[in-house]
Amino acid sequence: MGYVRGVNASSPGRIVLLTTSHRVAPGLLSWPAWQALHDADRVLCADGAHPQLPYLREAGVKVDEAAPTAEELVDACAGGHTVTVVATGEGEPQLTDGLARLAGSGRVQMPDLELLPASYDLPGARLLDLVQVMDRIRAECPWSSQQTHKGLAKYGIEEAYELVEAIEEGDRHELREELGDVLLQVVFHARIAEEDPEEPFSVDDVAATIVTKLIHRHPHVFGDETATTPEEVKAHWLRTKAAEKQRTSVTEGIPLGQPGLALAAKLASRVRTAGLEVPIPQGEGVGYELLAMAARAEADGVDPEAALRAAARAYRDAIRATEGSE
């Protein structure tokens, strides 16, 4: 609502509307918030189960469970008193609307009104909402509650392709939406994994694993190594990865189920990076021709899969143009 100033700021008192984020642990409030709570003549909260209340009381703040109307709150501030209202999750819209109407009427001497955020969302805080929503859907939705990792696998592939398409099309709106769909797959699988009777893990375990991996594979950021070029960064990454995986073949870890051109390019990349001399197999048929073309494209720094998709889109546009001219 902002600030509403009365004619005489000392006489009508002061209202402090204290808002908190449910995405931050209860009790972690800003210093101005604690000052407002301790300095208030009265502290009110309409929700007796508000997660902040146990911590406020532990800190010696007396909180009355009450939901006053705007008129009652103005009266409570008369004589220069300060009333701090700990807002519920909805933000007290009825109360703030009522105060706005009183202020707009011009018939009431209004207290000073301050909206004081007591805690703020940290970057990534909305991910907590996603985890909570997914948890409820898994428990209550007849379809979602029956899904398995294998049953969802096809959707992961579809969402990944749709994300790539949004990137290649340059559609920012679609990119944002498709990133969300891919993120949903991660959270969904992690939620299912919690129920495994033998090896359960959670989304926190997933995040912890990738955080550890990223830190370990970026010694030039988190350690004593140095890297000033992308090539040096890639060299660090490959050395660290090789030490972690301890693979006996450069082909290990390459999923054979990926699109053919991407698979061929990945194999060629591994061979080139390892410094191996492996001739391209010779044989009859378009498959061997495509293999050779994919290896040549990879050596030239071209993603053959992306290049073919770009050409296919041009072909699609030509088809539509022909259809439109008929």
Side-chain angles (χ1 to χ4, degrees), residues 42-47 63-68 85 92:
R42 290 189 67 189
V43 178
L44 309 177
C45 182
D47 181 9
V63 183
D64 297 326
E65 183 178 347
V85 178
E92 306 296 344

Side-chain angles (χ1 to χ4, degrees), residues 150-172:
K150 289 184 178 180
L152 290 177
K154 62 179 180 180
Y155 299 109
I157 296 172
E158 290 175 5
E159 299 300 353
Y161 276 125
E162 290 177 6
L163 171 61
V164 171
E165 183 176 355
I167 293 172
E168 293 179 344
E169 293 286 350
D171 190 323
R172 301 288 295 177

Side-chain angles (χ1 to χ4, degrees), residues 221-237:
V221 176
F222 302 99
D224 298 328
E225 300 282 353
T226 58
T228 57
T229 66
E231 291 74 21
E232 290 177 343
V233 172
K234 185 175 181 179
H236 279 314
W237 180 278

Side-chain angles (χ1 to χ4, degrees), residues 134 138 141-156 184-197 201:
M134 187 69 253
R138 177 66 174 174
C141 173
W143 183 85
S144 299
S145 63
Q146 300 300 315
Q147 296 309 300
T148 64
H149 293 303
K150 289 184 178 180
L152 290 177
K154 62 179 180 180
Y155 299 109
L184 170 61
Q185 295 301 308
V186 175
V187 176
F188 203 162
H189 279 284
R191 178 60 183 82
I192 294 172
E194 291 184 37
E195 302 168 10
D196 189 274
F201 60 82

Side-chain angles (χ1 to χ4, degrees), residues 18 20 26-29 33-34 37-38 43-45 50-63 84 86 118:
L18 202 68
T20 58
L28 297 180
L29 306 180
W34 283 115
L37 289 163
H38 282 292
V43 178
L44 309 177
C45 182
H50 196 294
Q52 297 289 349
L53 297 190
Y55 299 91
L56 302 187
R57 289 165 179 150
E58 184 178 350
V61 177
K62 183 179 182 298
V63 183
T84 295
V86 180

Side-chain angles (χ1 to χ4, degrees), residues 54-321:
Y55 299 91
L56 302 187
R57 289 165 179 150
E58 184 178 350
V61 177
K62 183 179 182 298
V63 183
D64 297 326
E65 183 178 347
T69 64
E71 292 82 358
E72 291 170 341
L73 190 57
V74 170
D75 291 342
C77 294
H81 294 101
T82 296
V83 178
T84 295
V85 178
V86 180
T88 60
E90 291 74 26
E92 306 296 344
Q94 283 189 317
L95 180 60
T96 54
D97 289 347
L99 290 170
R101 284 193 296 271
L102 284 178
S105 70
R107 298 190 299 270
V108 179
Q109 190 175 18
M110 295 295 294
D112 287 346
L113 177 60
E114 179 181 356
L115 178 61
L116 179 59
S119 59
Y120 300 85
D121 288 347
L122 298 174
R126 294 307 300 270
L127 294 175
L128 299 177
D129 289 346
L130 175 57
V131 172
Q132 291 177 349
V133 168
M134 187 69 253
D135 187 64
R136 182 170 178 180
I137 289 174
R138 177 66 174 174
E140 301 180 17
C141 173
W143 183 85
S144 299
S145 63
Q146 300 300 315
Q147 296 309 300
T148 64
H149 293 303
K150 289 184 178 180
L152 290 177
K154 62 179 180 180
Y155 299 109
I157 296 172
E158 290 175 5
E159 299 300 353
Y161 276 125
E162 290 177 6
L163 171 61
V164 171
E165 183 176 355
I167 293 172
E168 293 179 344
E169 293 286 350
D171 190 323
R172 301 288 295 177
H173 176 76
E174 285 297 318
L175 174 59
R176 176 177 175 176
E177 182 174 343
E178 297 304 337
L179 284 170
D181 289 343
V182 171
L183 180 58
L184 170 61
Q185 295 301 308
V186 175
V187 176
F188 203 162
H189 279 284
R191 178 60 183 82
I192 294 172
E194 291 184 37
E195 302 168 10
D196 189 274
E198 298 179 359
E199 296 183 69
F201 60 82
S202 69
V203 69
D204 287 321
D205 298 315
V206 173
T209 299
I210 190 60
V211 166
T212 300
K213 180 186 292 186
L214 288 174
I215 292 175
H216 187 57
R217 293 189 184 178
H218 289 78
H220 54 289
V221 176
F222 302 99
D224 298 328
E225 300 282 353
T226 58
T228 57
T229 66
E231 291 74 21
E232 290 177 343
V233 172
K234 185 175 181 179
H236 279 314
W237 180 278
L238 292 175
R239 283 199 303 271
T240 307
K241 186 175 181 180
E244 289 174 356
K245 301 297 185 180
Q246 296 183 343
R247 289 169 173 160
T248 58
S249 170
V250 297
T251 64
E252 291 183 23
I254 298 179
L256 298 180
Q258 62 183 302
L261 284 178
L263 172 60
K266 189 65 176 180
L267 288 167
S269 173
R270 289 283 183 90
V271 168
R272 181 174 54 81
T273 302
L276 299 175
E277 294 293 337
V278 182
I280 300 296
Q282 301 297 313
E284 295 294 330
V286 69
Y288 287 93
E289 296 176 14
L290 291 172
L291 174 62
M293 293 177 63
R296 186 169 69 248
E298 192 283 327
D300 293 338
V302 176
D303 180 351
E305 189 73 30
L308 181 58
R309 283 197 301 270
R313 284 197 299 274
Y315 187 32
R316 175 203 61 188
D317 294 341
I319 294 171
R320 290 178 175 176

